[in-house]
Structure formats: structure tokens, C-alpha cells
Amino acid sequence: MIRTPLRPLARVIDARQHGQNPDRIEAAERAKRNQAVHQKLRKRAEVRLTLLGLAFFLGFAAIGGKMALLAISEPMEPKLAYSGSKIYSQRADITDRNGAVLATNLVTTSLYAQPQKMINPVRAVEELAKVFPDINPEKLLKDFMSERKFIWVRKKISPEQQQLVHDIGDPGLLFGPREMRLYPNGSLAAHILGGTGFGKEDVRAAELVGVAGVEKYFDVRMRDPAQVDKPLQLSIDLTAQATMRRVVEGGMKIMDAKGAAAVLMDVHTGEVISMVSLPDFDPNERPRPLLKGDPSDSPLFNRAAQGVYELGSTFKLFAAAASLEKGLVTENTMIDTRGPIKWGKFKIRDFHNYGKQLSVMDVIVKSSNIGTARMAQAAGTQVQKELLGGLGLLEPTALELVEATHIKPLVPKNWSELSTMTISYGHGIAATPLHLASAYATLANGGFKVQPTLLKVEAQTAYGARILADDTSKTLMRMLRNVVTRGTASFGEVKGYSVGGKTGSADKPKPNGGYYDDKVIATFASVFPTDDPKYVLVLTLDEPSIQAAGEKRRTAGWTAVPVAAELITRLAPVLNMRPEVAGSGKVHYTQVKN
Amino acid sequence: MRSLFYLVCSAFVIGLAYWAYKENYKTQASLKEVKELQQQIAHEKETIAVLKAEWAYLNRPDRLRELVDLNFEDLQLIPLLPSHFGDSELVGYPTTIFDEIVEPVTVIGGTQP
């Protein structure tokens, strides 16, 4: 590079000769130099700006390009997702307390038709009618010939049927996967499980929705994807349930009853071990509810948890409990049983004349209406209300069944002194067998409130609120035991299990007032074993009658009690209860192969 | 020198390209395998569910009861009753006298002379 000096000598000499200021030459040169530097800097800045702009442009272009790609590409599932926790069924299983399956899902096939794709609708209908005999060919053909683009033929078909439909070979007949709910045990525990139906339907899948029972109560939990792999474990024991259903069914036939309900409950935890209501139904093909007439005539009606009945003399124990708890009487206090008690037009009578007086124990053992009415009158309405309320007999139970959540016992609107007296022996108040079972569980477990539940209790943490003193509970158990050993429930004795219980026979109310003379609800509420109560069993027979000892018998002592005794004989061994044999231990053993 | 450098570089690039090509196909093969396995798992799970349902169905109390009734002559099973509970004292002491053990017995994990 040739460096130009600031004061080139030739020009300075020349300027001096002409009398000019040579400093101006220097200034001009300096300005020239500065301009060159300036231009260089400007150029560099320009390059930098362009580069920066380019970088920004590339950045934005990358983001924009990716966005455009995402927007135009087809969505797809990530192929490498871990499949271990993938959901394969959409509804959790239900099992009994030992893990036996009560309800599960099966993938089946649904059959639908797209008439526009059909080659020969007439032949297709003919062939379909051969595969499904109960199909209506005329209606189906009309559908196939119509403008409709989509027709459900069958919602669930078996693999064999699918093959047969395949063999028809019509391209307009199409299959879709369909999950269905299976209740492998059929009508066993039908009222507890309830049933399911299809909700939103699609060709590829259909929603399974609970329509009754625990299926509906726990619908959200059953469909919760986080819990779908965990089965819902009920408190029901499948073996006990099967045994109970079998025995109750047999007893119902022998006693010529039109319906029956039985509840077996753990007195400490309130777990319902088995619950039967007959007649029942198959939840796999749940019948439609009755549109007219009495809903309680439908097999869908759960007599144990929905049926509100006057349970008769089984309520007498509550009158005794109230008086004992308030310290008004002991089991030996004598009660005046002269009758009838007249109250206005109303008279309270006894079944037999029990003489002038009976002890509190004997009032229960002999089931004296007059005796209990006197006791209740002496204790007062408030005491009775308090106890019945404490036992949960005035509110719906907490059982996890949709049907049971709104079943409130029927009590008189105006709870007068007369009501108090009639309620003391179970008239004028109506509750479900389940209410009775949980109330008896409280009486039996030492006086703690019991919340009936259908869910397995893994480990009992605490008892409910105390309703009765421990002593009262023990006295009441002695009374129940005496009813069986020397009272109205003498057929209820089961060797080795120290059964105690109270019978109740109440006339059925007519639909338009008054009571039938020849229709009763016979109930037996029992506790076993009474010396260390474990289970409460309530059995209710609807309109039983049996020809025995020369006359037609309808009272619980002749109808419900023998059936309940058979139930305990069969249920207790199944529940791993060993018969207690007092004294010498002379037991009769039968040799069995197992 | 420079040409050698270019040669090595291009060989390296070709090698890398070949490696990337192979990896790409390996990945695609793995993805395909994973997909197949997932389908297989789904299928097996479905089968398990069906078998479980079938097992529950075949073991339903009604059917077992019928089977017991049908085979009563061979099995002689009756419902469990309170009288079926026994005492351990009632189980007979074994009367069979076993032969004296004369042969040496090898104890697992023990030393054998």
C-alpha cells in the first residue's frame, strides 16, 4: 500500500510559492483519510446487520416450517410408547371378598349393515334370518331398502355367529369390536351387581354404563382410567351367597311364599356377606322395568334393600333396649300384661293371654304386645325416637346401592303416644330388612353404630358411635337366646352355634288402607353365636303359609324360623365357624370325602 | 498431502452416510417389531381376559353344584355341615411302620463322605 503523507513536500513548496496556506492541504488530506475509515466501518456494520437478519430469518423460518409441517401432517400415535400400562378394557372388574370374579368384560363383535354397499339385500335378510331366528325379516328388509346409510343388526354376536355371517359374504354386512359386560355367576347376587347397558355407541366401540346396583353407584370409579386395572372388591362371599340363595329359594317354595329376602351381615364391620332377594333376574339380560302396576312385583325389585315392610315383633327388642339403656327396667322387672289396652277406639291385644304380669325377659320371649307397649309408654316417645334414630332406623342406609340410597323407613307423621306404643311392637313403622340387620348388628356388637357396606373392610380401624352400653347389649343377646331356647323361635335352634333371634309376623297392609287377614310378612332377625356375636341374619318371607300340626300356619315361628335355622346350619360352616360344643365334647362326626 | 486429506475426508463421509443409512433401517425394523409385539400383547391380554371370564363361568356355583350332583356316585360330596368339623385327636396315628433307613441319605447342600 502506498501511504500518502499528510503534507506532501511538493505540494507544500508549490503552495508556499503561490503564497497559500499549506495547512489547508493537510486538512484536505486528513479529511480524505477519515472518509476512508468511515466507509470501511460502515461496510462492516452492513455485513453484520445482514448476517443478523439472516440468522433471525432462518430461526423464524425453522419454527414456521415446523409449524406448517405439523399442521399439514396426519396425527399418529407415538410408536414407542410403553405399553405396560395401556388400557385394554374400559370398565374395572368386580370380585367377591376372596377375589372370585363377579363381573368382567369380554370383547365380542357387533354386526351392522351399510345398505348402499349391499349386493343382494333380499338374500342377505334371508340368510340373516337363518343365523338369528328371532330377527324380524320384514322390518330388516324394509330398513335395508330404505335410504338409511347405517343400521345396527345385532349389538353382540358370538364368534360362531360371526363366522356364519361371514359366510353370507355380503360386503354390506360389517363387524365392529364391542366390549360387553359378563356376569359369570348369572342371577347370583343380581340385585347387588345391578347391571350395565350401552351408553354412547360407535362402530368401533361402545360405552358400558352401569344402570343399577353397585355398577351404577360406582360408575365413575369403574370407568376411571387410573383405577380400571384394579378390581372393585365387594364384601360379598360368593360361596355364602350361593348357599344362601339356594336355601332361601328352597325355603320360599316350601313355605309357598311369593317373595323372600335375606341379609347376612358382619356385626362388627357392617359388611354385607351375602344378600338375596327372590325372585331375581339374570343381570346378563336385565329385564325391562315394569311400566305399570306395583314395582315390587318386578324381579328387579330388591326386597332386602328396597322393600319397606312393617317388620312386626322384631322391633320389640328395641323397646326393651331403650328401657334397659335408660335404667328404667332390668331383665327381671315385672311388667303388667293385663289387656287389652284401650286407647280411644284402638285396642292393643296379645296373641295369647299371658296372665297378669311377665318379666321383661319373658315379654320378649313370649312376644307380648301389651308388655312392650307398656314399656315404651313408660320410657316415652323421645327415648324411643332417640334409640331408633341412633340405630339408623329413621334414615336411608349408607349401603352402596343406587336403589337403597333413597329408601327411607316409613314413620308416622304425627308421632303420638299411641304411635309410640304400636311402634314398640313393630306396627306403624316400616323399614327394610337391611335396616333391621344393621340395627341388630348394633345391638349385638356391644352397642356401636354400624354402617352397612358392600365393600370389603380390610382391617377394622374403629367402631362407630356408641349407642348402647355393653351390659345392655349382653342382656339383649341373652333375651334373644331365650327366645330360641324357650320362646317363639324354638325351631331356630342350631346345635353348636348358640343362635338367638326374634320373630316378627306383621299383617300386610292393603293398598287402600286396612290390613289383610291372611297375608303376612314373616321375619326372623337372628344373631349367632349369642355369646360372642359374629353375624346377623335377617330373613323375611312375603306371604308364607304352611300346613303344619293340623292347621295353616303363617306366623314367623312356623315359616321364617325353620328356613333361617337351615340357613345358619349351611352358612356357618361355609364361613369357617366351628360349632361350639359345651361340656364333654361328645360330637357326632360324619366321615366325608372332600 | 492435500489430496490425501480430501480422500480420507470423503471416505469418512461415505462411511458416515452408510452408518446412518443402516441405523435408519434398523430403527424402522425395531419400530415394526415393537408394533407387532404390542399387538401381540394386546391379543394375549384379551385372551387372558377371555380365559379369566371362562374360568369364572365354568366355576360358577350353579354349575359346580350340578356337576357334584351328576357325579355323586364317584365323589359323594354333600354340602358342608356343622357335623363335618372334627378334632385333630380324631385323626388316627399312622399305623404303618416304615422300614429302617440303612442306605446313606444325601442331604442337599451337606457334605457327603
Side-chain angles (χ1 to χ4, degrees):
Chain A
M1 202 176 93
I2 304 149
R3 194 178 152 82
T4 354
L6 278 177
R7 292 170 79 98
L9 196 59
R11 281 178 68 191
V12 170
I13 293 167
D14 193 46
R16 281 209 179 123
Q17 277 171 357
H18 289 89
Q20 284 167 340
N21 188 358
D23 285 353
R24 289 180 65 184
I25 294 170
E26 193 192 336
E29 281 300 319
R30 203 175 284 277
K32 228 190 220 170
R33 264 189 204 187
N34 280 344
Q35 205 181 358
V37 170
H38 188 77
Q39 260 171 3
K40 204 173 156 193
L41 281 176
R42 189 192 162 88
K43 204 165 189 180
R44 194 190 283 167
E46 266 177 0
V47 169
R48 281 183 179 172
L49 271 174
T50 320
L51 275 177
L52 198 67
L54 205 70
F56 268 100
F57 175 76
L58 283 177
F60 279 109
I63 293 168
K66 186 69 193 169
M67 279 166 74
L69 269 178
L70 284 177
I72 59 166
S73 63
E74 282 284 316
M76 74 179 174
E77 279 182 53
K79 282 183 187 161
L80 275 172
Y82 171 59
S83 71
S85 63
K86 212 167 166 186
I87 298 153
Y88 289 100
S89 69
Q90 44 164 325
R91 209 174 165 79
D93 287 358
I94 302 178
T95 68
D96 84 336
R97 61 186 301 118
N98 303 314
V101 176
L102 296 177
T104 185
N105 296 323
L106 263 190
V107 178
T108 53
T109 314
S110 60
L111 173 63
Y112 62 93
Q114 294 191 332
Q116 74 275 20
K117 288 186 189 166
M118 272 195 175
I119 293 171
N120 188 349
V122 181
R123 183 178 157 269
V125 170
E126 273 172 20
E127 296 288 327
L128 278 177
K130 279 184 210 160
V131 182
F132 308 105
D134 54 329
I135 230 162
N136 180 354
E138 287 88 43
K139 190 179 170 293
L140 201 62
L141 188 62
K142 217 174 109 190
D143 282 344
F144 283 179
M145 295 303 216
S146 69
E147 289 293 297
R148 288 169 65 185
K149 293 263 188 283
F150 182 92
I151 295 151
W152 281 115
V153 181
R154 275 296 163 106
K155 297 201 168 160
K156 291 183 268 186
I157 62 173
S158 69
E160 292 83 18
Q161 289 170 331
Q162 188 184 8
Q163 188 55 47
L164 288 172
V165 176
H166 251 310
D167 291 345
I168 299 174
D170 201 304
L173 293 175
L174 298 156
F175 305 103
R178 175 66 71 98
E179 209 162 88
M180 67 172 259
R181 197 73 165 152
L182 178 80
Y183 302 94
N185 301 304
S187 56
L188 209 64
H191 289 106
I192 297 163
L193 296 169
T196 44
F198 290 120
K200 282 183 205 136
E201 285 182 306
D202 188 81
V203 175
R204 272 169 293 181
E207 220 177 15
L208 278 170
V209 187
V211 292
V214 283
E215 290 270 30
K216 189 167 185 187
Y217 192 93
F218 289 109
D219 199 35
V220 176
R221 182 248 177 258
M222 303 286 264
R223 292 202 274 165
D224 179 6
Q227 296 185 71
V228 88
D229 285 341
K230 267 187 282 167
L232 182 77
Q233 198 164 28
L234 299 186
S235 61
I236 300 296
D237 183 313
L238 187 62
T239 318
Q241 178 78 14
T243 310
M244 181 185 256
R245 189 180 178 279
R246 174 103 171 144
V247 175
V248 172
E249 197 177 27
M252 191 174 110
K253 277 191 190 128
I254 294 170
M255 299 302 166
D256 201 22
K258 89 173 202 195
V263 181
L264 179 72
M265 190 186 282
D266 186 310
V267 295
H268 301 288
T269 57
E271 289 171 287
V272 176
I273 306 293
S274 63
M275 179 162 76
V276 166
S277 166
L278 291 174
D280 56 8
F281 60 94
D282 184 356
N284 291 304
E285 275 165 59
R286 200 179 151 80
R288 287 176 185 283
L290 292 184
L291 292 176
K292 53 184 177 183
D294 190 355
S296 69
D297 289 336
S298 163
L300 292 174
F301 186 73
N302 185 350
R303 284 162 196 272
Q306 276 178 288
V308 179
Y309 305 112
E310 285 193 353
L311 293 165
S313 309
T314 50
F315 270 61
K316 282 178 184 158
L317 201 63
F318 304 137
S323 298
L324 284 169
E325 181 66 18
K326 291 286 160 202
L328 300 171
V329 294
T330 66
E331 60 183 295
N332 300 317
T333 308
M334 297 311 275
I335 305 286
D336 181 4
T337 52
R338 282 170 301 178
I341 303 178
K342 285 188 196 135
W343 198 271
K345 283 193 291 179
F346 199 84
K347 280 182 190 166
I348 296 172
R349 287 201 187 84
D350 269 336
F351 204 60
H352 302 290
N353 182 11
Y354 298 117
K356 282 186 184 164
Q357 54 179 22
L358 284 173
S359 67
V360 172
M361 169 72 87
D362 284 343
V363 164
I364 298 298
V365 169
K366 300 223 154 82
S367 197
S368 160
N369 292 346
I370 297 171
T372 33
R374 288 249 158 79
M375 268 197 283
Q377 199 183 7
T381 307
Q382 202 48 44
V383 172
Q384 184 181 45
K385 262 190 186 172
E386 238 169 61
L387 181 75
L388 295 183
L391 293 172
L393 285 165
L394 305 177
E395 289 300 319
T397 59
L399 198 76
E400 298 90 347
L401 282 181
V402 203
E403 296 87 354
T405 46
H406 59 270
I407 301 293
K408 206 175 163 184
L410 302 177
V411 293
K413 276 195 203 93
N414 171 24
W415 202 309
S416 63
E417 201 172 347
L418 178 63
S419 306
T420 307
M421 285 157 80
T422 62
I423 283 171
S424 74
Y425 57 90
H427 287 259
I429 186 165
T432 66
L434 186 73
H435 277 100
L436 190 66
S438 45
Y440 265 63
T442 301
L443 302 187
N445 69 8
F448 300 101
K449 184 160 173 93
V450 164
Q451 294 280 18
T453 176
L454 274 170
L455 295 182
K456 188 181 180 184
V457 177
E458 290 296 344
Q460 193 180 13
T461 44
Y463 278 105
R466 187 175 269 286
I467 310 291
L468 294 172
D470 200 37
D471 284 347
T472 314
S473 165
K474 288 214 167 73
T475 312
L476 292 169
M477 288 305 108
R478 268 203 302 283
M479 287 179 174
L480 287 181
R481 180 69 189 135
N482 272 289
V483 175
V484 173
T485 51
R486 60 187 181 91
T488 51
S490 50
F491 289 128
E493 174 68 349
V494 180
K495 269 221 169 88
Y497 290 114
S498 174
V499 179
K502 182 77 197 79
T503 56
S505 321
D507 292 335
K508 274 184 92 167
K510 289 180 184 170
N512 35 17
Y515 286 90
Y516 288 108
D517 292 334
D518 56 349
K519 290 182 180 175
V520 299
I521 297 276
T523 310
F524 185 51
S526 53
V527 177
F528 63 97
T530 44
D531 34 20
D532 177 21
K534 285 205 168 59
Y535 296 103
V536 161
L537 175 75
V538 172
L539 174 72
T540 299
L541 294 177
D542 191 354
E543 298 181 20
S545 66
I546 188 166
Q547 196 72 30
E551 54 179 301
K552 205 152 185 88
R553 311 278 186 168
R554 292 196 175 84
T555 54
W558 286 92
T559 54
V561 176
V563 178
E566 177 64 15
L567 264 176
I568 294 170
T569 314
R570 295 279 299 276
L571 283 172
V574 165
L575 297 166
N576 281 330
M577 279 179 77
R578 196 187 166 79
E580 289 279 330
V581 186
S584 57
K586 287 232 183 327
V587 205
H588 170 66
Y589 293 105
T590 319
Q591 201 181 6
V592 277
K593 276 197 223 168
N594 241 338
Chain B
M1 188 65 210
R2 182 166 281 193
S3 59
L4 186 73
F5 176 73
Y6 282 140
L7 211 69
V8 168
C9 270
S10 42
F12 186 66
V13 167
I14 289 170
L16 271 181
Y18 178 69
W19 175 81
Y21 172 84
K22 268 194 81 172
E23 284 303 308
N24 187 12
Y25 272 85
K26 251 162 82 181
T27 312
Q28 279 181 17
S30 302
L31 278 176
K32 209 176 145 195
E33 201 191 337
V34 166
K35 206 175 149 191
E36 272 165 20
L37 283 175
Q38 272 174 351
Q39 272 171 2
Q40 219 174 321
I41 290 168
H43 192 74
E44 294 297 334
K45 284 204 172 172
E46 210 180 292
T47 312
I48 290 170
V50 170
L51 288 175
K52 257 167 72 185
E54 219 170 289
W55 180 250
Y57 183 68
L58 291 175
N59 278 302
R60 66 190 189 276
D62 285 352
R63 179 170 176 273
L64 294 183
R65 191 183 295 124
E66 269 170 31
L67 285 177
V68 163
D69 289 347
L70 281 175
N71 297 296
F72 185 75
E73 279 184 18
D74 298 326
L75 301 171
Q76 305 200 337
L77 292 174
I78 57 167
L80 188 63
L81 294 173
S83 53
H84 295 157
F85 284 86
D87 274 325
S88 49
E89 290 110 68
L90 287 168
V91 181
Y93 192 79
T95 47
T96 324
I97 294 155
F98 296 102
D99 294 334
E100 211 171 304
I101 299 165
V102 283
E103 301 278 310
V105 182
T106 316
V107 182
I108 293 170
T111 47
Q112 174 80 21

